[in-house]
Amino acid sequence: MNSVESCRRAGEMLARAEAVVVLTGAGISTESGIPDFRSPGGLWDRYDPTKLTFDRFCASAETRRDYWRLATETYPLLTRAEPNPAHLAVAAIEASGRLLKLVTQNIDGLHQRAGNSEQRTVEIHGSSLKAHCIDCGRPHDRAELHRRLLAGEIAVPECEACGGRVKPSTISFGQAMPEKETAEAFDAARDCDLMIVVGSSLQVYPAAALPDEAVRSGASLVIVNREPTPKDENATVIVRGSAAETMSLILKHAGDISAGFKAAADPMLR
Ligand code: APR
Ligand code: ZN
């Protein structure tokens, strides 16, 4: 089935669905200028994730320095990025009243800037736009930390309250998953009638188990991704290609939903 035919079928499934869960990964944001992790040239080509685990962050000031160096490199990419048509398509699904939950593995906040609501958005890997002390929990202003890191005032942020270890509010390898968000994501996967995965290699658990949970509970599964994923065999429809282009095409075939999407995204689709 070619990509246009797959988009048409996925659009018709979306138009008929009543409780949609959208699961996104870094691939939905690459067309906004934010590199993903596992594509050639992605972040894990340039940084060794085994050196940036939570245990190593907690144990060594040197790891914290490396961690904050990566965070300082990527933070401007996040704040300068704009939502692309794929993000706007996901926002249009919520605007149509069909979205049960948006579960994102991304830490860039682009879904909320595209129009998805906080209450329907689950950031299962946290957010890089926030920071907090892992020793006392005190929140810290991420933009102010970035300014001070760039100005060379600090190299490894320390907590202004207890002098403890400050970290971007993302979930690192080896760090406990956020209980509330993880439970919300799995409850939604069990209750949806359609799950659409956009831009994820579906290699990192527990998020990668969400499509299995949805299919086990009777939902249809659409996977939109440039490359094959380990979950493709469970998908009702697989859409290969750019998230921005394919999600725009899917929404065009999604009946009434496309009206809301068209208005929002058209200037970007020229
Ligand atoms: N359109 C469609 N697919 C794309 C695009 C695009 N423009 N750009 C990239 N992709 C695909 C890639 O082919 C890849 O399969 O998106 C997928 C991104 O996969 P990863 O880089 O592994 O990102 P993700 O699945 O979100 O990783 C999950 O791993 O490192 C951790 O915490 C990190 O949240 C992240 C988690
Ligand atoms: Zn503290």
Side-chain angles (χ1 to χ4, degrees):
M1 192 189 308
N2 69 33
S3 180
V4 173
E5 181 52 24
S6 307
C7 289
R8 190 187 57 72
R9 274 198 64 197
E12 288 166 358
M13 290 165 69
L14 177 55
R16 287 195 303 271
E18 290 170 3
V20 180
V21 167
V22 178
L23 168 64
T24 62
I28 199 171
S29 296
T30 53
E31 288 165 275
S32 297
I34 300 173
D36 67 9
F37 296 93
R38 295 173 181 83
S39 290
L43 282 173
W44 296 151
D45 271 356
R46 284 180 280 146
Y47 289 88
D48 177 355
T50 60
K51 292 215 170 56
L52 296 169
T53 62
F54 186 60
D55 294 346
R56 294 181 73 140
F57 182 92
C58 294
S60 105
E62 195 198 331
T63 302
R64 289 194 286 279
R65 197 182 351 272
D66 291 344
Y67 199 99
W68 275 106
R69 193 174 302 130
L70 166 59
T72 306
E73 177 201 320
T74 52
Y75 185 71
L77 297 178
L78 307 185
T79 51
R80 272 193 230 121
E82 290 298 329
N84 68 59
H87 295 104
L88 293 173
V90 177
I93 295 173
E94 179 168 0
S96 78
R98 285 173 174 78
L99 186 75
L100 185 60
K101 206 64 93 175
L102 161 60
V103 181
T104 186
Q105 301 171 87
N106 298 342
I107 54 176
D108 55 34
L110 284 179
H111 284 302
Q112 293 92 325
R113 288 179 50 205
N116 282 107
S117 63
E118 288 295 349
Q119 65 263 37
R120 284 197 189 266
T121 303
V122 177
E123 292 178 311
I124 198 167
H125 290 164
S127 169
S128 201
L129 302 179
K130 300 170 190 156
H132 68 279
C133 172
I134 57 174
D135 295 302
C136 75
R138 184 186 177 104
H140 283 64
D141 181 322
R142 182 73 175 79
E144 174 57 13
L145 287 177
H146 183 69
R147 187 196 64 73
R148 296 185 62 208
L149 284 155
L150 276 191
E153 290 172 26
I154 51 174
V156 181
E158 290 172 354
C159 177
E160 54 208 27
C162 76
R165 300 160 294 184
V166 175
K167 180 177 177 295
S169 300
T170 57
I171 304 299
S172 303
F173 286 116
Q175 190 169 355
M177 288 292 287
E179 278 183 28
K180 174 175 157 297
E181 288 79 359
T182 307
E184 270 187 273
F186 278 87
D187 288 348
R190 280 189 281 272
D191 295 343
C192 71
D193 58 5
L194 172 64
M195 176 174 282
I196 304 177
V197 179
V198 188
S200 178
S201 62
L202 293 173
Q203 292 181 35
V204 173
Y205 285 80
L210 288 166
D212 304 328
E213 195 71 16
V215 170
R216 227 194 327 271
S217 308
S220 302
L221 175 63
V222 171
I223 297 179
V224 178
N225 205 56
R226 220 168 34 194
E227 305 286 329
T229 81
K231 306 295 176 180
D232 285 358
E233 62 198 13
N234 302 333
T236 319
V237 173
I238 296 169
V239 177
R240 281 277 170 273
S242 134
E245 284 166 28
T246 56
M247 285 301 284
S248 306
L249 206 47
I250 290 170
L251 267 281
K252 284 211 168 92
H253 291 289
D256 60 293
I257 304 181
S258 61
F261 172 66
K262 197 170 166 343
D266 252 10
M268 305 173 84
L269 285 180
R270 279 198 189 87

